[in-house]
Amino acid sequence: MLDIIGVPVLSDNYVWLAHDAATGETAVIDPAVPEPVLAAAKERGWKITQILNTHWHPDHVGGNAVIVAATGAKVTGPRGEAAKIPLISRSVGEGDEVQIGAHVGRVIDCPAHTAGHIAFAFEGALFAGDTLFAMGCGRLFEGTAEQMHSALAKFMALPPRTLVYCAHEYTQSNARFALTVEPDNAALVNRAEAVDRLRARGEPTVPFSLAMEAATNPFVRAGSVAELARRRAAKDMFRG
């Protein structure tokens, strides 16, 4: 498995470092800023060889130029947003492959948050950018709800044990919203309480498994939520 560490930056971003111990290769995923990322790699003796960008937003590509200048890393990013990705050297889309040492990842097109957004799926690890968050999903800046639904379905088709490495610490606020949708979901209630405990200690809630999302995320549970709403409406009608 890849060695993956998170570097918290800005107010709520995570930059991910994915390292292959056998070859020494290290990829940076969505570097918002360069300095903490370079410091984290140096501390571990990891040599950054590439940057993987999921989309063009500045808080995902802002560190590209300095990291490339310091390390010579190659930049891979979405084909549909290549003109907006600083120093991109390879553009990719659905079905293309990327490698970190011996680890092969598949590119997933997931337009919704931005028009050309992609994700990188490795064995056991999904770098989802701003598409899927714990108990939530990304804002629709350039895409549609239908596109987001399709993107989430692609993610949920991956093995349930897959860990999701998203780019923001939004979990606590997402949990509060999810509870308004499914207040009687015991798994969701328990998860929200666990998240509150983690955040009270200043600990991250990311990564998280797709299995957890299947049980608690209203945006991937749309069918279950719709059925719950139908039952509630029917119960209210008979009460009247």
Side-chain angles (χ1 to χ4, degrees), residues 3-4 20 51 82 152 186:
D3 294 326
I4 303 172
D20 174 43
I51 294 171
L152 296 178

Coordinates of all heavy atoms in Angstrom, one line a residue, residues 3-4 20 51 82 152 186:
D3 N 2.1 4.8 1.3 CA 2.2 5.5 2.6 C 1.6 6.9 2.3 O 2.1 7.6 1.5 CB 3.6 5.7 3.1 CG 4.2 4.3 3.4 OD1 3.5 3.4 3.9 OD2 5.5 4.2 3.2
I4 N 0.5 7.2 3.0 CA -0.2 8.5 2.8 C -0.2 9.3 4.0 O -0.7 8.8 5.1 CB -1.6 8.2 2.2 CG1 -1.5 7.4 0.9 CG2 -2.3 9.6 1.9 CD1 -2.9 6.9 0.4
D20 N 5.7 5.8 -2.3 CA 6.0 4.4 -2.5 C 7.4 4.1 -1.9 O 8.4 4.5 -2.5 CB 6.0 4.1 -4.0 CG 6.4 2.7 -4.3 OD1 6.0 1.8 -3.6 OD2 7.2 2.5 -5.3
I51 N 3.2 15.9 -9.1 CA 2.0 16.5 -8.5 C 0.8 16.0 -9.2 O 0.8 16.0 -10.5 CB 2.1 18.1 -8.6 CG1 3.3 18.6 -7.8 CG2 0.8 18.7 -8.2 CD1 3.6 20.1 -8.0
A82 N -6.8 21.8 -18.5 CA -5.3 21.9 -18.7 C -4.8 23.3 -18.8 O -3.7 23.6 -18.3 CB -4.9 21.1 -19.9
L152 N -20.7 10.5 -7.9 CA -20.8 9.8 -6.6 C -21.0 8.3 -6.8 O -20.5 7.5 -6.1 CB -21.8 10.4 -5.7 CG -21.5 11.9 -5.3 CD1 -22.7 12.4 -4.4 CD2 -20.2 12.0 -4.5
A186 N -29.1 5.5 13.1 CA -28.2 5.3 14.2 C -26.8 5.4 13.9 O -26.0 5.9 14.6 CB -28.6 3.9 14.8

